[in-house]
């Protein structure tokens, strides 16, 4: 993924497995409702990060993408590359929204918002929907590495994969996967998979079911 000095001007990239956001923004451009340009439109995060040479000024990511990278890590990566991440989700919990904003999302939009809210974000406005003042102070400052967070969220997900399965899927040694999971559980004070899932939801790293 590109770095800040390679950010593409007034362009928006879209990562959306439902392939609905890109066409909606293009229609708004045709009608003169926004001056942004649509750049890359992909249906998967893996495709996006491997196919682009530089990120857009603003990148819209659907929160419910089913892949190996938690939304918080996508936001971190985009911010690190110099983009303004805008997350679009179904109805994320207040804690999950607050955590996404804490790690760098410019806004977290839900099904309650419409296209005009998204266009405001793309045009550079910092909308009122970005504020979660009552929730953010409740999130702990426990920090997990990117790999620890990735593996913890996958391990605690609905599929309940084994460490061995995760190792094969991600091409990692089983011992490394177990070490990362152990450190994540220790940092979050979780003794088992169920407690790990509960702590990740409580801390906003995973969305509530």
């Amino acid at each position: 993924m590109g770095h800040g000095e390679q950010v593409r001007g007034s362009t928006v990239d879209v990562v959306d497995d439902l392939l609905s956001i890109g066409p909606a923004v293009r229609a708004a451009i045709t009608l003169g409702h926004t001056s942004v340009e649509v750049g890359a439109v992909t249906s998967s995060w893996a495709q996006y990060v491997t196919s682009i040479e530089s990120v857009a000024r603003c990148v819209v990511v659907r929160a419910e993408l089913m892949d190996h990278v938690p939304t918080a890590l996508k936001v971190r990566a985009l911010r690190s590359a110099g983009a303004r991440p805008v997350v679009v989700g179904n109805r994320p919990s207040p804690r999950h929204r607050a955590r996404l904003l804490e790690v760098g999302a410019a806004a977290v939009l839900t099904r309650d918002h419409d296209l005009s809210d998204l266009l405001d974000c793309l045009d550079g406005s910092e909308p009122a929907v970005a504020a979660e003042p009552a929730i953010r102070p409740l999130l702990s400052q426990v920090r997990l590495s990117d790999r620890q967070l990735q593996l913890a969220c996958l391990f605690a997900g609905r599929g309940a994969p084994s460490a061995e399965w995760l190792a094969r899927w991600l091409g990692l040694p089983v011992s490394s996967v177990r070490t990362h999971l152990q450190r994540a559980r220790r940092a979050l004070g979780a003794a088992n998979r169920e407690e790990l899932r509960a702590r990740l939801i409580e801390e906003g790293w995973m969305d509530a079911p």
Side-chain angles (χ1 to χ4, degrees), residues 68-70 72-73 76 141-157 166 170 172 175-188 196 200 205-206:
H68 65 292
V69 183
L73 291 187
R76 278 185 185 173
Q141 296 305 304
V142 172
R143 285 294 176 263
L144 303 176
S145 70
D146 285 0
R147 184 64 84 185
Q148 289 168 7
L149 180 57
Q150 177 192 30
L151 288 169
C153 288
L154 291 172
F155 185 74
L166 288 173
L170 298 175
L172 299 171
S175 58
S176 294
V177 171
R178 288 175 175 156
T179 297
H180 287 306
L181 288 173
Q182 182 182 42
R183 289 174 178 171
R185 285 196 298 266
R186 185 182 303 123
L188 293 169
L196 179 62
L200 288 168
W205 293 115
M206 288 178 63

Side-chain angles (χ1 to χ4, degrees), residues 109-160:
L109 304 182
T110 74
R111 62 190 294 178
D112 297 324
H113 303 110
D114 56 28
L115 181 60
S116 64
D117 294 313
L118 176 60
L119 296 179
D120 285 343
C121 296
L122 303 186
D123 285 330
S125 302
E126 295 293 342
V129 296
E132 289 283 0
I135 300 295
R136 288 206 214 185
L138 300 179
L139 302 178
S140 78
Q141 296 305 304
V142 172
R143 285 294 176 263
L144 303 176
S145 70
D146 285 0
R147 184 64 84 185
Q148 289 168 7
L149 180 57
Q150 177 192 30
L151 288 169
C153 288
L154 291 172
F155 185 74
R158 292 191 181 95

